[in-house]
Amino acid sequence: MKKAEEVRKKLVYSRKNFWQDTTKNEQKIALKFSEGYKRFLTHCKTERESIAHIVSELRNKAFVDIDEPGVKPTRFVYRVFKNKALAIGVIGKENMRKGINIVASHIDSPRVDLKQSPLHEDKETKLGIMKTHYYGGIKKYQWMSTPLALHGVVIKNDGSKINICIGESDNEPIFIMPDLLPHLSKNEQANKTMSEFIKAGQMNVIFNSVPLTEEKEDITEAVKLQALHLLYDKYGITEEDFLSAELQLVPAGKARDSGLDKSMVAGYGQDDRVCVYTSFHAILDVKDIDIDKTSVVFFFDKEEVGSDSVGGATSVFIEDFIADLLRIKQEEFNAYSLRKTLINSCVISADVNAAINPNFPSVHEPQNAVHLGYGVGICKYTGSGGKSASNDATSEFMARIVKIFNEEKVNWQIGNLGKVDEGGGGTVAKFLAKHGCDVIDIGPGLIGMHSLYELSSKADIYSTYKAYKAFFVKA
Ligand code: MN
Ligand code: MN
């Protein structure tokens, strides 16, 4: 018996529960860390809001916009790319060609966008509605009959930008895409599959209901006209301006503590803003530590729809920013140097994983899945089926990362997304691997990913921050 215990202790891998494995003091720090995180989730529900918030924090911490005319770049720089992606660099002493450390996450989340020409008056009901087009992998039914807020920007013809945010404070209205009452769902919904019982065309927001009035006149589309009138009054926009707008419906309200013990966070957009927040705070801390290597953080757009487009992880944005870091550091910055810098670099693809959901245990394989509260997940490969479209990190790189996490006492665990052949998903890992660098997927588990209230553990959020920081310091 004694021998069995000895062997177990020495040879068996077991994930450790953060709340049992750490000191009370560290747990206090973890809980406090999540307070800032909840505020971030509450105030940053779109890519642009996230970028604006992070940039203002960066400027407070003396980071310099790499593109600001006349400004002399320092060791601490950032670049906003087309208002849709962001890179932050802390330049180290060592020659960048020996490799740098990069943490890459994404700031876009699944949501429901307004269509290009969204406003419509329903003929029968005389209600003003907004037509939508969903973005990313959503379960459509979750978005029906739930309070939504409208966030976004309108760029007018003269180039001026109107910020819009309706539905977040108590005195503002929220918006509803009404679901069908159960009494009349028999034919429309009850016997249909999940992908059919809510159609994209049924995801219309009721926008307004009072018609524009004029004495004795019967006005056609009076409700639509009244909506345009109100919008012009408040924002100075016309129907044509919708064409150059990005307006997103997102769950209204704050990110909240969840669970009796307040050990968890429930909130929208944690895929992948939990990795954005934790990697951002990791690089802010690195600024004040004397380390040799250069540290870089990327926040990409469009991960939820394949990472294409200008702000996505397939964009030339990556090479462009690294090349500028070489230039600022006054190293050689030709194509050869840039390639070598990237090839010798280490990358964490920072994205969330699927923690075991006790309501649906059958889709997970517990031994290889992320357990909520057991630390940050290390994922060798994502993808689906036979690891299709995955990066599959090398064993050499895995070993280095695990060694660093053990040395720095990071609570980590093995994490694969679901049972084999149960489904799957990808990250930006493979797009970064294209540059020849070592890439590994590391991030916390969420329960109910892509839902309106994703659930995370404060233990895992803090462990993720610790993991990224340890990576910057030691990789
Ligand atoms: Mn993600
Ligand atoms: Mn996602």
Side-chain angles (χ1 to χ4, degrees):
M1 202 48 201
K2 209 173 155 227
K3 187 164 183 203
E5 267 321 297
E6 222 173 77
V7 170
R8 191 187 315 280
K9 212 173 156 209
K10 195 172 160 194
L11 301 181
V12 171
Y13 161 78
S14 63
R15 48 173 63 72
K16 295 188 185 83
N17 186 295
F18 178 88
W19 308 109
Q20 289 173 329
D21 186 51
T22 54
T23 62
K24 285 280 170 254
N25 188 48
E26 182 153 38
Q27 291 171 24
K28 237 166 99 182
I29 296 170
L31 293 174
K32 193 165 169 242
F33 187 81
S34 282
E35 291 304 305
Y37 173 59
K38 280 185 293 175
R39 281 195 295 277
F40 176 71
L41 283 184
T42 297
H43 296 296
C44 302
K45 294 192 181 179
T46 68
E47 306 90 294
R48 287 172 187 264
E49 286 169 358
S50 306
I51 286 178
H53 174 84
I54 291 167
V55 165
S56 88
E57 297 255 310
L58 284 170
R59 298 189 80 91
N60 285 338
K61 305 268 183 197
F63 279 78
V64 167
D65 181 347
I66 212 169
D67 299 311
E68 202 171 303
V71 167
K72 199 175 177 315
T74 66
R75 281 181 53 224
F76 315 121
V77 293
Y78 70 90
R79 164 172 289 149
V80 176
F81 194 60
K82 312 268 178 178
N83 297 313
K84 290 304 206 138
L86 180 64
I88 307 168
V90 171
I91 298 172
K93 291 190 288 278
E94 191 179 87
N95 201 310
M96 281 178 60
R97 238 163 70 182
K98 288 185 181 168
I100 63 173
N101 293 329
I102 300 170
V103 178
S105 58
H106 65 94
I107 41 174
D108 61 320
S109 293
R111 58 178 189 255
V112 176
D113 290 337
L114 294 194
K115 278 190 174 176
Q116 279 212 298
S117 179
L119 190 57
H120 174 75
E121 180 173 323
D122 181 67
K123 278 201 180 64
E124 283 305 322
T125 58
K126 304 284 184 210
L127 290 170
I129 64 171
M130 285 286 195
K131 299 180 175 194
T132 69
H133 192 151
Y134 66 94
Y135 171 90
I138 63 165
K139 287 177 157 180
K140 299 188 187 85
Y141 70 87
Q142 293 180 338
W143 292 77
M144 307 301 281
S145 294
T146 187
L148 300 171
L150 186 65
H151 290 231
V153 294
V154 181
I155 311 290
K156 302 218 301 171
N157 279 348
D158 61 6
S160 59
K161 182 167 92 178
I162 318 280
N163 284 307
I164 289 180
C165 180
I166 310 168
E168 295 294 357
S169 66
D170 286 344
N171 57 358
E172 287 170 356
I174 48 100
F175 299 99
I176 298 286
M177 298 192 290
D179 198 357
L180 184 56
L181 66 168
H183 318 64
L184 300 176
S185 295
K186 193 167 154 253
N187 298 324
E188 272 289 329
Q189 291 184 331
N191 296 318
K192 289 184 180 166
T193 61
M194 187 187 76
S195 57
E196 288 170 329
F197 79 77
I198 300 286
K199 295 184 187 74
Q202 292 165 333
M203 297 177 77
N204 298 313
V205 161
I206 311 285
F207 194 65
N208 70 317
S209 65
V210 178
L212 185 77
T213 48
E214 210 164 32
E215 263 179 74
K216 289 180 213 148
E217 288 282 338
D218 193 18
I219 313 165
T220 49
E221 296 204 310
V223 176
K224 175 177 172 175
L225 289 178
Q226 177 67 1
L228 286 170
H229 175 66
L230 291 174
L231 286 168
Y232 186 76
D233 232 31
K234 177 134 199 223
Y235 303 104
I237 57 174
T238 67
E239 189 174 22
E240 192 183 281
D241 291 325
F242 278 119
L243 244 84
S244 48
E246 285 166 14
L247 293 167
Q248 315 180 354
L249 289 158
V250 294
K254 294 176 176 174
R256 306 273 300 264
D257 285 334
S258 185
L260 184 64
D261 53 11
K262 299 184 176 178
S263 62
M264 296 164 281
V265 173
Y268 164 73
Q270 299 198 62
D271 174 10
D272 187 28
R273 293 191 192 110
V274 65
C275 294
V276 171
Y277 186 80
T278 48
S279 61
F280 177 49
H281 279 266
I283 200 165
L284 284 185
D285 287 0
V286 162
K287 176 175 179 273
D288 302 319
I289 304 172
D290 189 27
I291 51 172
D292 293 340
K293 277 202 176 177
T294 293
S295 309
V296 167
V297 158
F298 282 110
F299 303 136
F300 292 117
D301 185 25
K302 294 293 184 288
E303 192 278 341
E304 296 295 354
V305 292
S307 291
D308 297 315
S309 102
V310 68
T314 54
S315 159
V316 72
F317 173 48
I318 297 174
E319 292 108 303
D320 188 53
F321 185 68
I322 307 290
D324 274 317
L325 293 186
L326 285 165
R327 175 180 59 79
I328 290 167
K329 203 162 178 288
Q330 297 183 324
E331 285 187 35
E332 237 183 349
F333 65 105
N334 51 35
Y336 179 81
S337 279
L338 177 60
R339 203 168 63 238
K340 291 301 178 202
T341 299
L342 283 163
I343 284 175
N344 292 326
S345 291
C346 297
V347 179
I348 286 181
S349 160
D351 209 340
V352 293
N353 206 311
I356 298 179
N357 180 340
N359 288 335
F360 302 94
S362 68
V363 301
H364 302 281
E365 193 267 281
Q367 193 173 324
N368 283 285
V370 171
H371 299 229
L372 209 70
Y374 285 72
V376 67
I378 301 180
C379 186
K380 190 172 188 297
Y381 44 83
T382 59
S384 58
K387 305 187 183 180
S388 167
S390 79
N391 160 58
D392 208 351
T394 65
S395 294
E396 288 83 352
F397 191 43
M398 292 286 289
R400 274 180 65 192
I401 294 295
V402 168
K403 180 167 180 275
I404 291 168
F405 288 179
N406 285 341
E407 283 170 1
E408 297 296 306
K409 302 217 163 7
V410 173
N411 284 69
W412 63 269
Q413 54 178 323
I414 295 171
N416 284 139
L417 195 138
K419 264 186 192 166
V420 181
D421 280 349
E422 199 68 52
T427 64
V428 298
K430 60 175 179 176
F431 305 116
L432 285 137
K434 205 181 70 160
H435 299 288
C437 29
D438 279 314
V439 187
I440 184 168
D441 278 291
I442 293 174
L446 298 180
I447 292 182
M449 195 198 298
H450 283 204
S451 72
L452 282 68
Y453 297 97
E454 300 170 313
L455 204 57
S456 62
S457 160
K458 294 181 182 177
D460 303 338
I461 297 162
Y462 180 67
S463 300
T464 302
Y465 153 75
K466 258 180 92 176
Y468 297 158
K469 188 171 163 187
F471 168 78
F472 282 138
V473 175
K474 287 205 154 176

